[in-house]
């Protein structure tokens, strides 16, 4: 996906021109993967203007990720939330993808270096449907990857760190090179984990299943949004370890993520899901996009107007 340049990037508390947001080749993060980041979206809502979606939840997750790897972020949650609003407003964006990143910078070599200063930056740019408009409507074809996700006790899957995306790259590249829209990773024990950049929901006989946190997933904010919306819709979501074969007999499957939003899956490993009308997925999609067009009341304070 090519990046559409905008004017300004927030870095360490200041707005700087896009082209000046560069870093040294000996940046710690470049060598050791010592970065943490977020993917967020701003939507042009019908009723509240341009809003960042679940701003606080994303920034809190960024802080959590940084804490695990001891990457200092000197800015408060409130300051970073304001920076996200500012980056949208100052770049005159309406709907956009927001990418905050914190990483260990230049100064020392060695993975455990304690004296490397951290850098924090936030960029924003336009980004449409990650898995395509056609996929959003008619579902995407996905494949189970030959690569397993990282096992518990290796690197934490529940932390959104740059290094984790080496796993995502392998899972996603393999699928795309074989003509699929996305790859699904299995956990170390062969149960279903998640997509390369999406959580997974599987519907069998009106029951909605999703793998638990212990199945090497990033517990997505969209996943949480869907869980809350399902409760409101009277749909039960069961979190449990899922055997791979559940994917092959599913009535419906959908994937969730900030980039992917709520995208239906049409087939897994060339086996088509049972119900291509996606009745439950559509209900959830409508409730999700309803947050932005005003049809779903935002009871949770998820919409944060950029002002
Ligand atoms: N899993 C992985 C590996 C991801 O990269 C993402 C995207 N951040 C997700 C799940 C979905 O998370 P969220 O809904 O918070 O974007």
């Amino acid at each position: 996906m090519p990046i559409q340049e905008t004017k300004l990037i927030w870095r360490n508390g200041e707005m700087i021109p896009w082209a000046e947001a560069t870093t040294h080749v000996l940046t710690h993060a470049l060598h050791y993967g010592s970065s943490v980041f977020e993917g967020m979206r701003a939507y042009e809502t019908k009723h509240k203007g341009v809003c960042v979606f679940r701003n606080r939840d994303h920034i809190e997750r960024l802080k959590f990720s940084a804490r695990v790897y001891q990457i200092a972020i000197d800015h408060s949650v409130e300051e970073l939330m304001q920076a996200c609003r500012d980056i949208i407003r100052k770049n005159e964006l309406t709907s956009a993808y927001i990418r905050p990143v914190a990483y260990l910078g230049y100064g020392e070599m060695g993975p455990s270096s304690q004296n490397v200063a951290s850098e924090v930056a936030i960029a924003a740019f336009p980004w449409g449907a990650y898995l395509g408009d056609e996929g959003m409507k008619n579902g995407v074809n996905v494949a189970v990857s030959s690569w397993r996700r990282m096992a518990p006790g290796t690197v934490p899957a529940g932390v959104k760190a740059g290094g984790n995306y080496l796993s995502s790259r392998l899972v996603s590249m393999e699928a795309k090179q074989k003509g699929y829209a996305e790859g699904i990773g299995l956990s170390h024990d062969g149960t279903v984990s998640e997509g390369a950049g999406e959580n997974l929901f599987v519907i069998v006989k009106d029951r909605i299943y999703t793998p638990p946190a212990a199945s090497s997933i990033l517990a997505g904010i969209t996943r949480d949004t869907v869980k809350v919306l399902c409760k409101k819709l009277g749909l039960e979501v069961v979190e449990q370890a899922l055997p791979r074969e559940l994917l092959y007999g599913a009535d419906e499957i959908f994937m969730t993520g900030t980039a992917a939003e709520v995208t239906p899956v049409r087939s897994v490993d060339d086996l088509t899901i049972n119900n291509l009308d996606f009745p439950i997925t559509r209900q959830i999609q409508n409730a999700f996009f309803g947050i932005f067009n005003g049809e779903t009341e935002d009871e949770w304070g998820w919409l944060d107007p950029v002002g």
Side-chain angles (χ1 to χ4, degrees):
M1 183 84 63
I3 296 171
Q4 222 178 302
E5 289 186 17
T6 54
K7 279 188 303 199
L8 298 168
I9 286 182
W10 182 97
R11 188 170 70 183
N12 302 328
E14 277 177 67
M15 290 286 174
I16 61 167
W18 177 280
E20 287 175 20
T22 55
T23 194
H24 197 275
V25 291
L26 292 179
T27 293
H28 195 276
L30 202 54
H31 297 258
Y32 304 115
S34 48
S35 68
V36 293
F37 69 97
E38 274 305 312
M40 315 167 54
R41 271 188 195 267
Y43 288 88
E44 184 167 24
T45 71
K46 272 214 173 121
H47 51 311
K48 289 188 176 167
V50 179
C51 291
V52 178
F53 184 55
R54 301 195 67 167
N55 196 355
R56 178 175 297 278
D57 296 309
H58 280 282
I59 296 301
E60 283 180 351
R61 187 170 68 182
L62 180 74
K63 286 271 195 175
F64 163 69
S65 299
R67 180 182 165 84
V68 173
Y69 285 107
Q70 299 183 24
I71 297 169
I73 299 181
D74 294 335
H75 306 272
S76 66
V77 169
E78 277 68 27
E79 280 172 313
L80 294 172
M81 286 172 66
Q82 188 55 44
C84 288
R85 295 180 203 112
D86 290 346
I87 198 73
I88 294 293
R89 242 193 13 261
K90 295 242 159 114
N91 282 311
E92 296 166 43
L93 292 162
T94 48
S95 64
Y97 185 76
I98 310 171
R99 170 52 61 86
V101 61
Y103 60 95
L104 294 183
Y106 171 85
E108 263 192 30
M109 277 296 177
S112 64
S113 298
Q114 296 288 307
N115 299 311
V116 188
S118 55
E119 306 273 344
V120 189
I122 306 175
F125 42 87
W127 206 2
Y130 177 58
L131 297 170
D133 292 327
E134 155 69 20
M136 190 61 86
K137 215 163 104 197
N138 298 319
V140 291
N141 299 312
V142 303
V144 172
S145 177
S146 65
W147 291 99
R148 293 280 164 99
R149 297 290 286 166
M150 44 282 194
T154 58
V155 286
V159 168
K160 197 167 170 66
N164 288 10
Y165 288 80
L166 290 173
S167 159
S168 294
R169 179 166 170 81
L170 292 171
V171 168
S172 195
M173 263 194 320
E174 183 182 61
K176 285 180 180 159
Q177 284 166 0
K178 290 180 178 166
Y180 299 96
E182 186 58 296
I184 292 174
L186 300 180
S187 307
H188 68 292
D189 61 0
T191 59
V192 177
S193 177
E194 62 179 348
E198 308 83 12
N199 293 118
L200 212 60
F201 288 81
V202 184
I203 304 166
V204 182
K205 297 194 195 313
D206 295 330
R207 266 261 175 94
I208 307 173
Y209 297 91
T210 195
S215 291
S216 299
I217 64 163
L218 177 75
I221 289 167
T222 321
R223 174 180 178 272
D224 180 71
T225 302
V226 163
K227 281 186 349 193
V228 172
L229 292 174
C230 280
K231 197 162 183 199
K232 185 125 183 82
L233 293 167
L235 300 167
E236 189 188 357
V237 177
V238 183
E239 279 186 57
Q240 61 165 68
L242 304 179
R244 177 175 177 167
E245 59 272 25
L246 205 74
L247 301 173
Y248 302 133
D251 296 324
E252 297 175 58
I253 300 176
F254 63 90
M255 298 200 290
T256 65
T258 298
E261 297 167 307
V262 178
T263 300
V265 170
R266 198 179 167 81
S267 71
V268 182
D269 294 336
D270 302 322
L271 294 172
T272 307
I273 56 145
N274 291 332
N275 195 339
L276 283 174
D277 293 331
F278 312 113
I280 295 177
T281 306
R282 289 283 183 242
Q283 232 184 307
I284 295 166
Q285 259 185 335
N286 290 339
F288 178 77
F289 289 109
I291 300 167
F292 314 115
N293 65 28
E295 281 167 26
T296 301
E297 196 199 327
D298 177 21
E299 300 170 23
W300 312 277
W302 286 338
L303 295 177
D304 183 18
V306 304

